[in-house]
Amino acid sequence: MILSAEGLKNKEAWEAAGYSLPKYDRDAMITATKENPFWIHFGAGNIFRAFQANVVQNLLNDGVLNRGLVVAEGFDYEIVEKMNRPHDDYSILVTLKADGNVEKTVVGSIAESCILDSEDEKEYSRLKNIFSADSLQMATFTITEKGYSLVNGKCELLPAVEADFAAGPEKPASYMGKVASLLYTRYKAGEKPIAMVSMDNCSHNGDKLYAAIHTFAEKWTEAGLAEAGFLAYVENRERVTFPWTMIDKITPRPDASVEEILKKDGIEGLEPVITSKNTYVAPFVNAEECEYLVIEDAFPNGRPKLEKGGLMFAERETVDKVEKMKVCTCLNPLHTALAVYGCLLGYEKISEEMKDPQLKKLVEVIGYKEGLPVVVNPGVLDPREFIDTVLNIRIPNPFMPDTPQRIATDTSQKLAIRFGETIKAYDASPELDTADLKLIPLVFAGWLRYLMGVNDEGAEFTLSPDPLLDTVRPYVSGVQLGTDVNAEEVLKPVLEMREIFGVDLYETGMAEKVCGYFRELTAGPGAVRETLKKYTK
């Protein structure tokens, strides 16, 4: 059994091995898509293959669509060269369910894979043709948040971006420059409407994409390198939109245990490829069963009925509410709490932590009791049901090989949004009192205890990367387990840092509680466990 158009002609063997196959005429779909493309996606990674491509596959199976996707890769061309094209743009989606069941699907909804390379005339001409098509309704993106940035960590223009500003839209080298160039092609083809839709997991993602494209349009028109009307085109929401979205689905890198399952089924050629840019890709992708994608319904050239595939369309304000619900209360804070205490207690899988009665109670109280009272119900998703799914299905899923060490990365950058917004909401509410928050400050104290780099048994461990480690670690570096610590004196400069907690913990009246917890957590080996037992009864 080989994953290719030829190999899939042996349908009986695939179906006998438990694989769901495309139920549509794929050749007809490919022809229709190439003639009248409606959706091009940038970023041929795992989230796209597990989510968007599968949604389109289901809609093709149901007869809602008769055209599929075009995918373009602009960061790592080898993904297309070594994975998409050798497998005729097929991939295998392995859905790993929390109950232990595994679903295997051959996804064939990608009609064409392209390389976003302005130096390759054939590839770039094809992309220009696609962007000139009347039928094109949307260009979507999963290229990570940094993909939209035009500057480096020092806020200096990236060299490729600076060169593109000067050279114009003919042959740009930067990712966003190339996308702006393709949009300029659509402008020159008749100012045709399109939705430019970021589907990356970052706040107000559409604004990030807009800022990048708008900057290029501004620079090029000011320098006379593009027609003056291009800037107005980008700014005109009746022609070009940049909707906000909220996406949520865990798609870890292809797992060796999943590869073994497929090999036992008799599938050949499953070996993953590590590209020269260190991208790890395989003919299959493994993912959790839960998925959410809420999209601002702003499509000036229309859109197909993607809601029939489970996508949710709403007003911008609703998308914002869903994102805040997820990031500030119903998912991300729970992950951070498990990450901090998981590292201290020596856990290596987030899923295993949900078998720990104290850690389970910790996140239940933070989610249901402390966070839920300040959540604004977005309407399209019920917050309590969302937390139910997170705590009962998603986090405990043993197939999801996520680690507390990974999630603990950049914690100093996460606390303000994941917990600070809840504290602010309590402060602003006439009915709620920050004094009633018991376990959110325990997470803060746990993070400060984590910064000591010593686990609950007293052994040293490696802290996850964080840009503020050098700033905050010195405050706790002199603290020793089992010695009396003047927590107020040691921690005061950190607890006042709004950039970390989103608030000054002294002004909110929470600093004393955090200091008290910290003293208990550092009382000696085993103190972390004892403190958790005490406060999660």
Side-chain angles (χ1 to χ4, degrees):
M1 293 164 62
I2 297 174
L3 185 66
S4 66
E6 184 64 30
L8 284 160
K9 288 180 179 178
N10 187 3
K11 289 179 60 176
E12 294 77 11
W14 286 86
E15 289 172 344
Y19 290 79
S20 297
L21 301 181
K23 298 179 175 64
Y24 46 90
D25 183 334
R26 189 165 185 258
D27 289 338
M29 179 276 289
I30 290 172
T31 299
T33 306
K34 288 185 175 181
E35 289 176 353
N36 293 290
F38 78 97
W39 181 353
I40 183 169
H41 182 88
F42 292 88
N46 290 337
I47 183 70
F48 162 72
R49 293 161 66 199
F51 198 167
Q52 291 91 340
N54 191 49
V55 166
V56 173
Q57 163 113 332
N58 291 334
L59 293 172
L60 286 164
N61 284 340
D62 293 342
V64 176
L65 295 176
N66 66 350
R67 291 171 294 167
L69 287 151
V70 178
V71 67
E73 177 55 39
F75 171 71
D76 194 336
Y77 306 154
E78 290 179 59
I79 295 174
V80 169
E81 294 165 342
K82 295 183 177 179
M83 196 53 59
N84 282 67
R85 290 175 181 173
H87 293 284
D88 297 322
D89 288 316
Y90 281 105
S91 66
I92 297 171
L93 168 60
V94 182
T95 303
L96 308 170
K97 298 199 167 186
D99 62 7
N101 286 321
V102 175
E103 285 185 1
K104 300 170 291 189
T105 306
V106 174
V107 178
S109 59
I110 299 172
E112 183 178 6
S113 53
C114 303
I115 293 172
L116 182 61
D117 182 2
S118 60
E119 295 295 325
D120 188 318
E121 188 173 342
K122 181 181 177 182
E123 295 285 348
Y124 210 58
S125 293
R126 176 57 189 150
L127 286 167
K128 285 184 174 181
N129 288 338
I130 291 168
F131 263 78
S132 298
D134 291 346
S135 57
L136 188 65
Q137 295 174 313
M138 57 204 233
T140 59
F141 301 79
T142 50
I143 59 175
T144 75
E145 184 172 1
K146 66 181 179 183
Y148 307 102
S149 181
L150 307 185
V151 298
N152 61 21
K154 297 178 181 178
C155 292
E156 301 163 336
L157 273 180
L158 296 169
V161 170
E162 191 168 16
D164 289 347
F165 285 167
E170 191 59 34
K171 277 192 175 182
S174 65
Y175 203 127
M176 283 293 102
K178 287 180 269 192
V179 172
S181 168
L182 292 173
L183 189 57
Y184 184 54
T185 297
R186 189 163 184 79
Y187 162 79
K188 290 195 297 181
E191 300 183 38
K192 296 175 181 177
I194 189 173
M196 305 288 285
V197 191
S198 169
M199 293 180 173
D200 274 296
N201 186 21
C202 53
S203 180
H204 301 170
N205 44 22
D207 289 353
K208 290 177 170 55
L209 177 57
Y210 173 77
I213 300 301
H214 186 268
T215 301
F216 275 98
E218 200 169 43
K219 294 292 185 182
W220 287 342
T221 54
E222 283 177 357
L225 298 167
E227 294 177 17
F230 180 46
L231 180 59
Y233 170 71
V234 170
E235 293 174 344
N236 184 354
R237 280 181 60 85
E238 292 184 3
R239 310 310 294 170
V240 187
T241 57
F242 296 84
W244 291 1
T245 67
M246 190 289 294
I247 191 168
D248 188 18
K249 186 178 180 73
I250 299 172
T251 53
R253 64 183 269 175
D255 191 81
S257 63
V258 174
E259 184 180 342
E260 286 305 309
I261 292 172
L262 305 187
K263 281 182 177 177
K264 287 177 182 176
D265 290 337
I267 301 177
E268 302 172 39
L270 289 169
E271 294 73 22
V273 170
I274 300 176
T275 70
S276 58
K277 289 194 173 182
N278 290 318
T279 307
Y280 188 99
V281 290
F284 65 92
V285 56
N286 39 250
E288 67 169 338
E289 61 195 284
C290 299
E291 58 188 26
Y292 305 90
L293 181 51
V294 186
I295 306 171
E296 178 188 350
D297 201 356
F299 290 79
N301 201 26
R303 62 169 177 81
K305 296 184 182 299
L306 299 177
E307 57 269 35
K308 291 188 175 182
L311 305 189
M312 291 168 271
F313 292 86
E315 297 296 316
R316 172 170 285 203
E317 293 76 12
T318 301
V319 178
D320 195 39
K321 289 174 184 176
V322 173
E323 183 195 322
K324 286 179 179 175
M325 179 196 79
K326 169 197 162 189
V327 173
C328 302
T329 310
C330 298
L331 173 62
N332 295 26
L334 314 183
H335 258 157
T336 290
L338 291 172
V340 168
Y341 279 100
C343 290
L344 287 170
L345 295 174
Y347 281 99
E348 294 183 354
K349 275 191 174 184
I350 286 287
S351 58
E352 288 296 313
E353 292 188 63
M354 292 304 288
K355 298 174 185 176
D356 185 310
Q358 282 84 49
L359 296 181
K360 186 171 186 289
K361 187 65 178 289
L362 174 72
V363 290
E364 286 174 347
V365 172
I366 290 172
Y368 292 117
K369 187 175 179 181
E370 299 189 351
L372 203 54
V374 299
V375 173
V376 177
N377 191 327
V380 294
L381 287 171
D382 180 81
R384 179 171 285 274
E385 290 178 5
F386 191 89
I387 298 178
D388 288 343
T389 303
V390 167
L391 294 181
N392 299 319
I393 298 175
R394 302 184 69 187
I395 296 178
N397 189 337
F399 282 119
M400 291 294 104
D402 221 340
T403 68
Q405 291 75 23
R406 186 192 74 81
I407 295 173
T409 300
D410 299 339
T411 299
S412 71
Q413 310 298 291
K414 299 171 179 176
L415 295 173
I417 185 70
R418 296 188 180 191
F419 298 101
E421 293 304 307
T422 294
I423 296 170
K424 290 176 187 176
Y426 268 72
D427 260 345
S429 170
E431 292 88 23
L432 299 170
D433 187 345
T434 52
D436 294 329
L437 295 173
K438 309 293 185 187
L439 297 191
I440 286 177
L442 186 60
V443 176
F444 294 163
W447 176 63
L448 294 163
R449 168 69 179 80
Y450 159 90
L451 290 173
M452 292 168 59
V454 177
N455 67 20
D456 197 30
E457 296 177 353
E460 292 187 4
F461 67 89
T462 302
L463 296 176
S464 301
D466 189 310
L468 290 186
L469 282 185
D470 291 341
T471 301
V472 293
R473 279 205 77 189
Y475 292 106
V476 298
S477 61
V479 178
Q480 300 293 320
L481 291 186
T483 59
D484 191 29
V485 56
N486 186 337
E488 173 85 13
E489 181 180 315
V490 169
L491 301 179
K492 189 175 191 296
V494 182
L495 300 183
E496 293 175 330
M497 292 183 182
R498 294 177 185 273
E499 64 269 32
I500 291 180
F501 300 104
V503 294
D504 180 327
L505 293 179
Y506 282 92
E507 291 181 3
T508 62
M510 299 179 73
E512 184 178 347
K513 191 176 291 181
V514 174
C515 289
Y517 287 151
F518 185 77
R519 282 193 296 271
E520 293 183 67
L521 291 167
T522 57
V528 173
R529 175 61 70 188
E530 291 306 311
T531 305
L532 284 169
K533 285 180 180 178
K534 179 178 177 180
Y535 294 105
T536 59
K537 289 179 181 177

